[in-house]
DNA sequence: GTGAAAGCGCTAACAG
DNA sequence: CTGTTAGCGCTTTCAC
């Protein structure tokens, strides 16, 4: 690749002028044109590595998520990428696989590569951000908090849990189970709290402890928990899935048992983008994942731009899409 | 962050020695230890930007895919990441959105960032790789060819199309439609060819031109094409979906029309990871996407390591998982 | 085995 | 507005 020096020589200017042209700093019309022409001829494109070294900052942001195969997070990634790309930033997608160690490694890389900032959906509740924060690089938390005083974008989880449950109660279900994600993940807890609150007020005699299951935020987690619930002496007549993949797993098991919704009521927190089920059979509490990504990226870019105001947390409201099919039982 | 100079001073050696320790080049036991101790105390981690500038190569590989929201590609990404990560490389996931211009921009970034190599699932058949190849950086094609003489990993597409179709013929279906992806995408064509071959030999009187539909590799594409097919004077009695998302869309439409498989036979090329449908109702021709990612990353790392042998193309066989449910009609 | 020194390509003072 | 110059932090000859 051509360097700034070759362009300078060809255009009859100094390297600094070439740099200025490419950074939008005042240069006379004539020289600007000469530089652009030379650059085009030499197919010059600035060496970002050199620029990053000099500036101590690269035009790359890291997006660290716990599960790249979960459509919720890829939708989030889309939102982040769209915004970043428009601002001239690339996104490094890092899959922490819900492991704190993998996550820590990516955070180290973000430091070593002088990345401009990080958007993080934390793998667990004890992620250590001391190092990255010490570098002054901005970090924005998404989906889950981090315990640090940084910007964040989260879903209205309690409210989502409430909405899903209320919907089921309104439809006439009573023994409503809840399959939560991992016990130590904040979002799982909050959604379960929403469910618990509605149960306490609307179905006070329901055995909530028996009806609450913790699992993983994976299809298999949903499957396992659903099997357990069905094996109960008195199985539930409805279930709230704590996230999209749990919903898929639970519905799979129900289908296998001949209990397709709405025979057994199902509400899912999160979208089922690739479901082949009739959408009217299941209540969906849509979580605006893409919007979360857009918001997080916007906040991050503001911080990268030097915004120093106190940290903000944006809570995104969700949208309920009720099941319209009625129980045939 | 601490630099190599500070570590050197603390350890009482030269910066060069510190560098050598971190690059596994012969340094005496004693000094190695001193350097490691100092590095630990200073929480030193090598500045990758500086290293990349000096070496003219970074430990980053780009993975360019047309749709980050398609589970097929995220599965692929997982495979790539697992291998890359183990070899100390980070992966930048680039979503070209099936647009050649976006793809070109990412390829330019790969050059400007001195990335070590690129794994590319081309957005279209006229991707231009001249620039990136001119830099000497290795590029491995996945899923689709590129028209360049480079390493590649592809699925056995024709065979997948054949297998899917044969399975449906064996199950007694006759008017078997095929919903392909975009007409100018190689994989779409090849899979359709497999279908066409089986139809020609087993159902020679079927009106194949009427039964073949091109669409997009998206849920909506599958929906639209399926609607069209059902609106035919003589609708098909079965359908092969050219990829996973088309399959989802087609099945959604069928469900809405009360034609849940196997009432109308369905075979899908690709997996339905988040389906809530009983797996026995649909024939799945599994495409080993993760394996494709692993293979591609392995090939790429070999090239990065300096392997100069003639270019290779690996064809991955697929695996058929037949529907076991029988038509009730 | 080890150190000194040059330089990767760019940007940011600093002069002019 | 423009050129000169000094590094950013690392690797890599080249001597010793």
């Amino acid at each position: 690749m051509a360097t700034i020096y070759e362009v300078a020589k060809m255009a009859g200017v100094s390297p600094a002028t070439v740099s200025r042209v490419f950074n939008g700093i005042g240069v006379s019309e004539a020289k600007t044109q000469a530089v652009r022409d030379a650059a085009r001829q030499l197919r010059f494109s600035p060496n970002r590595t050199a620029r990053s070294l000099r500036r101590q900052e690269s035009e790359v942001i890291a997006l660290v998520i716990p599960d790249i195969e979960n459509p919720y997070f890829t939708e989030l990634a889309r939102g982040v990428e769209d915004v970043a790309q428009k601002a001239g930033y690339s996104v490094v997608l890092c899959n922490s696989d819900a492991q704190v160690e993998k996550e820590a490694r990516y955070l180290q890389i973000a430091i070593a590569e002088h990345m401009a900032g990080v958007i993080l959906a934390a793998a667990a509740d004890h992620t250590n951000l001391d190092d990255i924060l010490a570098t002054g690089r901005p970090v924005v938390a998404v989906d889950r908090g981090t315990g640090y005083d940084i910007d964040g974008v989260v879903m209205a989880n309690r409210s989502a849990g409430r909405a899903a449950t209320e919907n089921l109660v309104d439809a006439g279900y009573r023994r409503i189970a809840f399959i939560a994600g991992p016990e130590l993940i904040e979002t799982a807890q909050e959604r379960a709290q929403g469910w618990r609150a509605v149960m306490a007020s609307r179905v006070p005699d329901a055995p909530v402890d028996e009806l609450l299951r913790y699992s993983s935020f994976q299809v298999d987690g949903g499957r396992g928990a659903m099997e357990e619930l069905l094996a109960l002496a008195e199985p539930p007549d409805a279930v709230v899935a704590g996230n999209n993949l749990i919903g898929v797993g639970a519905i799979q098991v129900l289908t296998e048992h001949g209990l397709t919704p709405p025979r057994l009521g199902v509400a899912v927190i999160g979208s089922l983008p690739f479901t082949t089920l009739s959408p009217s059979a299941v209540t969906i509490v849509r979580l605006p994942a893409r919007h979360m990504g857009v918001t997080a990226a916007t906040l991050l870019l503001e911080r990268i731009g030097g915004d120093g105001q106190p940290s903000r947390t944006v809570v995104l409201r969700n949208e309920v899409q009720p099941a319209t099919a009625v129980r045939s039982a």
Side-chain angles (χ1 to χ4, degrees), chain A:
Chain A
M1 287 299 287
T3 75
I4 216 173
Y5 288 94
E6 306 171 50
V7 176
K9 187 182 289 176
M10 185 169 209
V13 299
S14 76
T17 298
V18 178
S19 170
R20 289 184 185 111
V21 169
F22 278 88
N23 289 287
I25 299 172
V27 170
S28 74
E29 186 62 35
K31 303 213 168 182
T32 301
Q33 209 35 256
V35 168
R36 291 214 179 285
D37 287 349
R40 192 167 317 112
Q41 281 182 55
L42 295 167
R43 324 187 94 248
F44 167 81
S45 113
N47 181 323
R48 289 191 178 220
T49 306
R51 169 183 292 189
S52 300
L53 177 59
R54 178 60 228 232
R55 287 228 201 125
Q56 303 282 48
E57 171 163 321
S58 74
E59 273 111 341
V60 175
I61 70 184
L63 171 60
V64 187
I65 54 179
D67 182 7
I68 196 190
E69 297 193 66
N70 183 338
Y72 173 72
F73 289 113
T74 56
E75 196 186 327
L76 166 75
R78 265 308 288 265
V80 170
E81 228 211 1
D82 288 352
V83 173
Q85 159 110 335
K86 274 189 197 114
Y89 283 78
S90 317
V91 178
V92 186
L93 225 176
C94 310
N95 186 216
S96 71
D97 225 352
Q99 295 169 229
V100 190
E101 315 78 55
K102 261 183 139 176
E103 182 178 80
R105 211 173 322 156
Y106 278 119
L107 258 14
Q108 283 304 328
I109 291 177
I111 296 173
E113 298 260 14
H114 286 308
M115 293 187 192
V118 175
I119 296 177
L120 170 73
D125 59 351
H126 53 290
T127 291
N128 187 323
L129 297 181
D130 294 345
D131 282 5
I132 182 107
L133 258 16
T135 67
R137 300 258 175 285
V139 178
V140 174
V142 282
D143 191 56
R144 311 157 185 194
T146 57
Y148 288 81
D149 179 30
I150 57 178
D151 288 347
V153 188
V154 295
M155 299 294 180
N157 288 310
R158 245 179 231 88
S159 144
R162 272 201 307 271
T165 313
E166 257 160 11
N167 199 276
L168 256 13
V169 176
D170 289 347
Y173 298 101
R174 285 295 169 271
R175 274 183 82 77
I176 303 170
F178 190 95
I179 308 181
E183 194 159 359
L184 28 63
I185 289 189
E186 184 185 288
T187 53
Q189 285 293 357
E190 292 174 353
R191 291 170 193 175
Q193 282 161 19
W195 162 82
R196 205 184 272 276
V198 172
M199 291 303 277
S201 75
R202 310 262 321 255
V203 197
D205 52 331
V208 287
D209 290 327
E210 191 177 316
L211 293 171
L212 172 62
R213 302 281 147 161
Y214 288 102
S215 72
S216 70
F217 271 149
Q218 308 273 77
V219 174
D220 278 346
R223 294 190 61 101
M226 194 69 241
E227 291 283 12
E228 279 177 38
L229 287 167
L230 290 180
L232 248 33
E234 243 186 299
D237 63 357
V239 63
V240 179
N243 84 340
N244 56 351
L245 300 189
I246 289 176
V248 169
I251 296 171
Q252 282 178 356
V253 168
L254 291 175
T255 306
E256 289 161 21
H257 285 256
L259 290 167
T260 22
R263 277 198 54 190
L264 196 143
V266 176
V268 179
I269 300 176
S271 306
L272 261 23
F274 305 119
T275 185
T276 48
L277 205 69
S278 162
S280 62
V282 172
T283 294
I284 302 288
V285 180
R286 238 193 79 62
L287 303 176
R290 191 176 176 291
H291 186 48
M292 174 182 265
V294 168
T295 308
T298 307
L299 290 181
L300 186 70
L301 289 174
E302 284 175 24
R303 293 297 182 188
I304 290 171
D307 182 340
Q309 68 174 277
S311 69
R312 306 152 286 184
T313 296
V314 178
V315 180
L316 264 25
R317 293 218 60 83
N318 27 257
E319 179 192 300
V320 183
Q321 180 187 312
T324 53
V326 187
R327 188 147 47 144
S328 50

